[in-house]
Amino acid sequence: MSQSNQKHILIVGSGFAGSVYAITLAEAGYCITLIDRRAHIGGNAYDTTDGNGIRVHAYGPHLFHSKSIRAIEWIKQYGNFSPYRHRVRALLPDGRFAPLPINIETINTVFGKTFEHATETEDFLKNIAEPIAIPQNAAEYLYSRIGKELTNLFFRPYTKKMWGTDLEDMSETVVRRIPINFDKSDTYFDSSETQMIPVNGYTGLFSKILDHRNITVLLNTKFEKSMERDFSYCFNSMPIDEYFDFSEGELPYRSIKFHHRSVTSMDVEHQDFPVVNFTDNRAYTRETAWHVLPHHIVSESGRRTLTLEEPCDYRINDHERYYPIKTADGRNQKIYETYRKISEDLPRLSFIGRCGTYQYLDMDQVINQSLAGAHAWLRNHR
């Protein structure tokens, strides 16, 4: 290695993982070259203002929520945030709407009850839940929490569309993150979490994160292994199986096709929740009304943008990988572990982020994981 590149680091991917590593190492005095195959920074959190003057998240809604003081304080350095409590409605097959996650109003709507107290909801769900002590898959986990009728109504068709497989083949960890509210609370995330949204969008946030004299950003730049020889180290967020030319097998992902439609502001003037989930067998899983989110009407045009999401295999969507598929038998995780062990023999390379570590991660998890990884690397390379 030449003397000139001993403190030069290559980072592949400008999403949260790559950007956290970039700014952390840049502030420690390293010269960072950050590349991204796309034409923009921000990874899947990228947002932009469309022709209607509406801020749209190009890869689906990103809503920051966390109990981690470290992640919250870190991200607040780079922009102003507004408090925001996310609310979702499920459109039932009969045309009625019900709150999601399931709460007391959901139970009243579906079962024709008139419950008023959280204890009534809790007792009702206990009575319809299946006695499964150790769930072996997503179906059994949901049966043990909310019974078969609610599982089949809210989660079975949705899971088939979203993941391309049945609940019985999905890991219970996929649905374990879904809360249940026994009272009338209709917030999608845990009410004890800090929930907020950036005033100037995520792209503005990433622009500030990467605004450092030691960081050079190169967009529309595809990673090539030959690049590694020009740097002392590489942090790579590309799919780990692709890096190794799929030698140990392919890691499957689900992707999303986005269908945008423009409506007049009058058409949606009474809509007060931003996301509708579809529980039936139509191809779409949900629709987002961006104007309901704070700070998403950037300029008033009299029109609004709604976005439908259609899940699919990543191979039929330009290999855009969004969601690693976690199965009940762990077969995909075993493939990943094989790649991870091979990567340990590469002394100047670490895989990071969602595709590099084959994990479904919330934004705060990526931030914390990347901060920990960057600081650990710095301690070992003094």
Side-chain angles (χ1 to χ4, degrees):
M1 184 191 310
S2 67
Q3 188 72 23
S4 62
N5 71 0
Q6 285 186 1
K7 295 202 74 173
H8 284 70
I9 306 294
L10 175 65
I11 297 178
V12 182
S14 66
F16 269 109
S19 296
V20 171
Y21 270 91
I23 187 60
T24 304
L25 299 179
E27 289 176 342
Y30 286 84
C31 294
I32 308 300
T33 297
L34 178 69
I35 67 171
D36 200 298
R37 63 180 176 83
R38 290 171 171 164
H40 59 74
I41 58 175
N44 284 358
Y46 167 75
D47 54 26
T48 185
T49 303
D50 71 2
N52 289 341
I54 303 298
R55 178 173 290 129
V56 173
H57 301 190
Y59 306 98
H62 280 66
L63 307 162
F64 187 89
H65 58 100
S66 182
K67 294 181 181 179
S68 168
I69 295 175
R70 185 186 196 189
I72 295 165
E73 291 182 346
W74 185 88
I75 200 170
K76 278 187 171 181
Q77 298 177 87
Y78 302 103
N80 296 320
F81 287 78
S82 288
Y84 169 69
R85 297 279 175 172
H86 190 51
R87 290 173 170 81
V88 174
R89 291 295 180 269
L91 178 61
L92 304 180
D94 63 9
R96 292 179 298 163
F97 288 94
L100 194 69
I102 290 168
N103 70 1
I104 191 170
E105 295 299 335
T106 312
I107 300 301
N108 288 342
T109 299
V110 173
F111 294 100
K113 301 296 183 181
T114 56
F115 295 154
E116 295 183 0
H117 305 290
T119 53
E120 294 176 290
T121 308
E122 187 172 7
D123 290 342
F124 180 82
L125 290 176
K126 284 180 180 178
N127 286 332
I128 65 174
E130 298 285 318
I132 303 173
I134 305 177
Q136 299 299 309
N137 54 53
E140 291 186 358
Y141 176 79
L142 290 169
Y143 290 165
S144 72
R145 297 291 309 282
I146 60 175
K148 288 186 176 181
E149 185 169 351
L150 289 173
T151 295
N152 292 336
L153 176 59
F154 285 97
F155 298 105
R156 186 167 294 282
Y158 192 94
T159 298
K160 188 70 173 180
K161 292 184 289 186
M162 181 67 209
W163 298 103
T165 189
D166 294 316
L167 283 166
E168 285 76 10
D169 193 38
M170 293 297 300
S171 168
E172 50 88 20
T173 60
V174 176
V175 294
R176 186 179 288 275
R177 58 192 284 127
I178 301 170
I180 296 173
N181 299 323
F182 297 124
D183 57 14
K184 293 184 179 181
S185 172
D186 66 346
T187 56
Y188 192 76
F189 303 115
D190 188 330
S191 59
S192 65
E193 292 184 307
T194 294
Q195 301 172 45
M196 57 190 188
I197 202 159
V199 172
N200 295 312
Y202 286 101
T203 302
L205 201 68
F206 279 96
S207 295
K208 289 190 175 181
I209 293 171
L210 298 174
D211 183 16
H212 192 282
R213 65 182 182 276
N214 288 346
I215 299 176
T216 300
V217 178
L218 302 176
L219 301 177
N220 296 305
T221 303
K222 185 178 179 180
F223 170 77
E224 301 288 346
K225 289 182 182 178
S226 60
M227 296 175 176
E228 293 176 355
R229 63 172 172 258
D230 297 324
F231 298 89
S232 61
Y233 206 88
C234 175
F235 294 96
N236 200 325
S237 67
M238 73 180 290
I240 191 170
D241 57 339
E242 183 178 336
Y243 180 92
F244 290 108
D245 299 316
F246 309 103
S247 61
E248 308 304 313
E250 187 174 1
L251 290 169
Y253 289 81
R254 294 296 282 175
S255 189
I256 303 288
K257 294 179 181 179
F258 298 97
H259 305 274
H260 307 288
R261 62 189 181 101
S262 176
V263 300
T264 70
S265 57
M266 295 293 291
D267 291 332
V268 289
E269 64 177 336
H270 298 300
Q271 184 164 342
D272 58 359
F273 43 88
V275 174
V276 174
N277 280 20
F278 303 120
T279 61
D280 58 14
N281 291 316
R282 73 184 73 186
Y284 309 116
T285 49
R286 62 181 179 178
E287 183 174 59
T288 300
W290 300 104
H291 65 279
V292 182
L293 297 173
H295 314 296
H296 278 58
I297 302 176
V298 179
S299 61
E300 183 56 73
S301 67
R303 300 197 67 81
R304 304 291 182 253
T305 302
L306 306 179
T307 301
L308 286 162
E309 296 185 22
E310 179 186 1
C312 61
D313 187 289
Y314 85 101
R315 290 169 295 186
I316 64 172
N317 192 31
D318 198 27
H319 288 76
E320 287 286 0
R321 298 166 171 89
Y322 294 159
Y323 303 101
I325 299 176
K326 302 291 186 178
T327 59
D329 62 7
R331 60 184 180 272
N332 298 331
Q333 196 64 25
K334 291 175 184 175
I335 296 173
Y336 163 72
E337 286 298 328
T338 302
Y339 284 119
R340 185 187 62 78
K341 290 177 182 177
I342 295 173
S343 72
E344 291 176 349
D345 293 330
L346 302 177
R348 294 166 51 202
L349 173 67
S350 292
F351 287 95
I352 62 174
R354 176 176 46 88
C355 291
T357 61
Y358 201 64
Q359 298 179 82
Y360 179 79
L361 298 167
D362 288 329
M363 288 181 280
D364 65 327
Q365 293 174 312
V366 180
I367 291 169
N368 281 331
Q369 190 180 88
S370 302
L371 286 172
H375 286 295
W377 187 89
L378 286 170
R379 288 193 298 271
N380 293 329
H381 289 78
R382 286 175 178 169

